């Protein structure tokens, strides 16, 4: 009987640790991401080509390739997506940036940090 209780308590302990680790993983960097400043980009000085931008912040790390033609963003390809990606969010942000030709677009409701992570990598691509 004692052995069974010890086994059950051990299993419960492991489950609690796994659950706490999951919560930490999901929320780590959340506040920093929410407060991340996104700066506008100036396409006038950008030559034609494809530029790589990276943003590193835990599960929101990503990499994009931004193509510029005639001082306009012509395409944005996701090279490395964020963990736990929602394709609709990614597509909405990319479409908005291409439509507005800048990173100063609204974030997707309920996906602020993911939106800002992609916007920051796009900004980084066009600011280097």
């Amino acid at each position: 009987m004692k052995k069974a209780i010890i086994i059950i308590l051990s299993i419960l302990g492991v489950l609690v640790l796994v659950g706490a680790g999951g919560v930490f993983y999901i929320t780590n960097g959340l506040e920093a991401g929410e407060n991340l400043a996104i700066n506008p980009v100036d396409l006038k000085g950008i030559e034609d080509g494809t530029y790589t931008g990276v943003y590193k912040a835990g599960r929101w790390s990503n990499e994009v390739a931004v193509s510029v033609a005639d001082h306009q963003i012509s395409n944005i390809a996701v090279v490395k997506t964020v963990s736990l990606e929602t394709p609709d969010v990614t597509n909405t942000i990319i479409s908005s940036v291409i439509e507005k030709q800048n990173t100063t677009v609204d974030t997707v409701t309920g996906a602020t940090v993911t939106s800002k992570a992609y916007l920051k990598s796009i900004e980084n691509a066009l600011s280097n």
Side-chain angles (χ1 to χ4, degrees), residues 5-23:
I5 291 173
I6 290 172
I7 291 171
I8 290 171
L9 289 176
S10 296
I11 291 171
L12 287 174
V14 168
L15 290 175
V16 166
L17 288 175
V18 168
V23 168

Side-chain angles (χ1 to χ4, degrees), residues 3 26 34 83-84 95 112 123-125:
K3 209 176 209 181
I26 287 179
E34 288 174 344
S83 298
L84 308 175
S95 296
T112 301
E123 174 192 329
N124 289 342

Side-chain angles (χ1 to χ4, degrees), residues 17-91:
L17 288 175
V18 168
V23 168
F24 177 75
Y25 176 75
I26 287 179
T27 60
N28 186 29
L30 187 62
E31 185 175 339
E34 288 174 344
N35 296 321
L36 184 63
I38 305 300
N39 301 303
V41 294
D42 182 8
L43 293 168
K44 290 179 215 160
I46 309 250
E47 298 298 321
D48 289 359
T50 300
Y51 302 88
T52 301
V54 176
Y55 175 69
K56 292 185 180 181
R59 74 179 187 102
W60 289 283
S61 298
N62 71 87
E63 181 177 346
V64 296
V66 182
S67 298
V68 175
D70 295 323
H71 304 288
Q72 292 192 333
I73 299 168
S74 58
N75 188 51
I76 300 171
V78 177
V79 176
K80 179 187 174 284
T81 187
V82 298
S83 298
L84 308 175
E85 180 197 22
T86 305
D88 288 346
V89 171
T90 305
N91 295 335

